[in-house]
Amino acid sequence: MGLTSNKVLALAVVAAVALFAVTLWLWPRLARRSWRAVLGRAGLLLATQLSLFAAVGLAANNYFLFYGSWADLFGQEQELGVVVDHSAGGEHVKVVEKRPMDVPGGHHPHVGGQIQKVVISGEKSGIDSPAYVYLPPEYFQPAHARRTFPAAVVLTGYPGTAENLLKGLRYPRTAYEQAKAGKMQPMVLVMLRPTVAPPRDTECVDVPGGPRTETYFAEDLPKAVSETYRVGGAARNWGFIGNSTGGYCALKIALHHPDRFAAGAGLSAYYKAAEDVTTGDLFRGDAKLRDRADLLWSLDNLPQGRTSFLVTTSRQGEGNLKGTREFIAKVKAPARVSSITLDSGGHNFGTWNREIPPALAWLSGRLSAA
């Protein structure tokens, strides 16, 4: 059983509860002063504490995905990365692995869809980044063989890992379930982290002198995906969604590139590019670039296209409530804005998992497959 298996977590919880019960049951017998009784008390207390620690640790790891396997946990994962060569004029999406979906019939792509691990190469930016592409079941069904699908770029926060979008935030499974329930149309999801030049946080801007992260997300990625999969290349075919830093990026790219993206959804987003030790000098003293990376400034000073925005916050637990209200107030026609405001919810996976299903349905409603 894998480290992130729910069965492993359940066994750890059962073991912790059982040891606690055994300790209570045997404590009167071990209340003596003999060395055996002392060792028994110490052994039971130690075993109970270790089992509780293991259960809490497994639960935290399942939630935050610090380690993906037992080998990863014990430092035994030593397999080196694979270098993928990308020659000029060659393929800009390299498929590295194909995974079945964890849904009924998921081993059959036409039933459950498929997740492909890929490397996407940026023709203009020169950036190569790993990603996951979710293809819905309809993509593989003969009845839809000539169908073009809408697509959405999905970003994590910083530093984040793309794996979190599959497991912790469950984007593919949610998209599968929402489409099956008729709440959204089948969509292709392109999932990755905003850190395309690790470990630096580039805030999805074109840094003077490089890396050109905005160019990668706004131009290179949609073009490469549209050339590889049955995805349209027009703005009406593309959306952008993300949480935290990924949410800022989604709103920023959609705001600045209405000719590329019809919609952008920022979950727990902030509205001005961060500048700290993780970002370094993003603007090299260029005040115009810094202003442009401020979304509230952009709404006031740049033309607004026919783009739809979704922003999320909570009345208690999020620090972006004031900024979200300002963003909403500044959006003007022909742009449109929608919002989700929870009564309470922190900056965490639990909150985002409450927002992702309606956000995907909203995004789907603003994109076209044609």
Side-chain angles (χ1 to χ4, degrees), residues 336-353:
R336 297 182 297 170
V337 64
S338 305
S339 66
I340 296 174
T341 303
L342 303 176
D343 288 334
S344 65
H347 202 77
N348 55 51
F349 282 23
T351 296
W352 300 326
N353 275 320

Side-chain angles (χ1 to χ4, degrees), residues 148-152 185-188 230-232 236-238 367-369:
T148 299
F149 293 83
Q185 61 180 315
M187 288 173 52
V188 172
R230 298 198 313 277
V231 172
R236 64 180 181 276
N237 308 130
W238 280 90
L367 303 182
S368 169

Side-chain angles (χ1 to χ4, degrees), residues 141-228:
Q141 295 170 2
H144 302 280
R146 296 185 178 181
R147 179 178 179 177
T148 299
F149 293 83
V153 180
V154 185
L155 292 188
T156 66
Y158 176 85
T161 65
E163 196 80 15
N164 285 343
L165 298 170
L166 276 61
K167 296 183 178 180
L169 296 177
R170 304 190 294 273
Y171 268 96
R173 187 180 183 94
T174 301
Y176 167 86
E177 292 174 346
Q178 293 283 95
K180 190 173 182 179
K183 296 181 180 179
M184 62 176 282
Q185 61 180 315
M187 288 173 52
V188 172
L189 303 180
V190 186
M191 300 164 285
L192 64 169
R193 59 180 184 168
T195 316
V196 294
R200 188 178 187 183
D201 174 14
T202 59
E203 295 290 297
C204 295
V205 304
D206 277 356
V207 180
R212 301 175 63 193
T213 314
E214 182 171 346
T215 297
Y216 178 80
F217 284 122
E219 300 184 40
D220 289 339
L221 187 150
K223 182 175 183 293
V225 171
S226 295
E227 291 175 349
T228 305

